[in-house]
Amino acid sequence: MKKQDFEKKIKQSLRQSPATVNKNHFESTILLARAEASRKQGRERISFTHFLAMQIKFIGWKFWVVQGCFLFVISCMLFPFYEYMKNPQHMAKLLFCISILVFMTALPFIYRSAHYQMQEIESVTRFSSVKLLIAELIVIGIGDIFMLSGIFFTALIKTSLQADSAILYLCFPFLLVCGCCLFMLGHFTPKDFFIGSMGLCSFLVFVFAIAPAHYGFLFQQSFSVKWVIICALLTAFCTQQFRHIMYDSLYVEMQII
């Protein structure tokens, strides 16, 4: 279309009389809008506890089923390695790696929103993406506790490990990767968080797997006072990073980058 023709069309449009408004339809629209606004104000607002229960109902149980299957597979895999498990140092290495794998099962679940590009929708909902993330982390935490407990009791029943050693071999690597990954979750974009977390966990599994079984600093230890302090410091760091995600981080902004 030429410039002159375009200008002519604009002038013709401006000369046209404005569209008439049907007064009855206009008043009906106002009444419907007022009714909708009044209904919205009277709507019951659900609490975060109720929202968490809904998350468990719709998605949480699926994640727990996956974790339960993982626990079943781990328990079955311990039978072929019965001779290997007679050596406490070998069993320590195995528990170190398993505890990290337990945490790794949660990474795809956390990254799910970014993978399906749902961040923009979640950021404008009643419970924002941060609160949705907190609910997901709580669901993950509950599942991880049951997973580690199941592995702990399985190790006590099927091996000669002492309870304090089994607790150390499960808690220390788990808290280590948990603290590092929560830090990345609060400071990195979703893609960088997922890649960094998977890379870190895979690297630690590889390091613990190839480390000499006689390495006394890790694989010949019990839950002594120094390890209690180390695990307490890691727990405090995880708590601080969790609080940072809730109140101080730019999680919502990073979701839509």
Side-chain angles (χ1 to χ4, degrees), residues 111-172:
Y111 184 64
R112 179 174 52 92
S113 296
H115 177 73
Y116 292 107
Q117 300 181 352
M118 296 293 292
Q119 309 97 305
E120 292 86 352
I121 296 176
E122 292 176 354
S123 63
V124 297
T125 56
R126 160 73 172 86
F127 287 95
S128 64
S129 55
V130 174
K131 291 186 178 180
L132 178 59
L133 174 65
I134 298 304
E136 291 178 349
L137 292 178
I138 292 175
V139 171
I140 292 170
I142 295 172
D144 287 344
I145 289 174
F146 280 99
M147 281 273 289
L148 294 175
S149 299
I151 295 171
F152 169 73
F153 287 112
T154 302
L156 289 185
I157 294 172
K158 296 183 179 181
T159 70
S160 59
L161 278 180
Q162 298 296 319
D164 58 342
S165 297
I167 292 174
L168 171 63
Y169 301 150
L170 289 173
C171 288
F172 170 68

Side-chain angles (χ1 to χ4, degrees), residues 12-46:
Q12 290 177 351
S13 300
L14 292 174
R15 291 195 189 108
Q16 292 178 356
S17 59
T20 58
V21 177
N22 189 312
K23 188 175 181 180
N24 293 331
H25 290 173
F26 183 70
E27 291 178 352
S28 298
T29 302
I30 293 176
L31 292 175
L32 290 173
R34 288 176 178 174
E36 179 63 23
S38 177
R39 187 179 67 85
K40 186 176 181 181
Q41 290 178 355
R43 188 182 302 165
E44 182 181 358
R45 300 173 70 87
I46 65 174

Side-chain angles (χ1 to χ4, degrees), residues 84 89-90 93 204-215 218-219:
Y84 180 83
Q89 285 75 39
H90 290 165
K93 293 177 62 175
L204 290 178
V205 169
F206 176 76
V207 168
F208 290 140
I210 66 172
H214 61 272
Y215 191 52
L218 290 176
F219 305 130

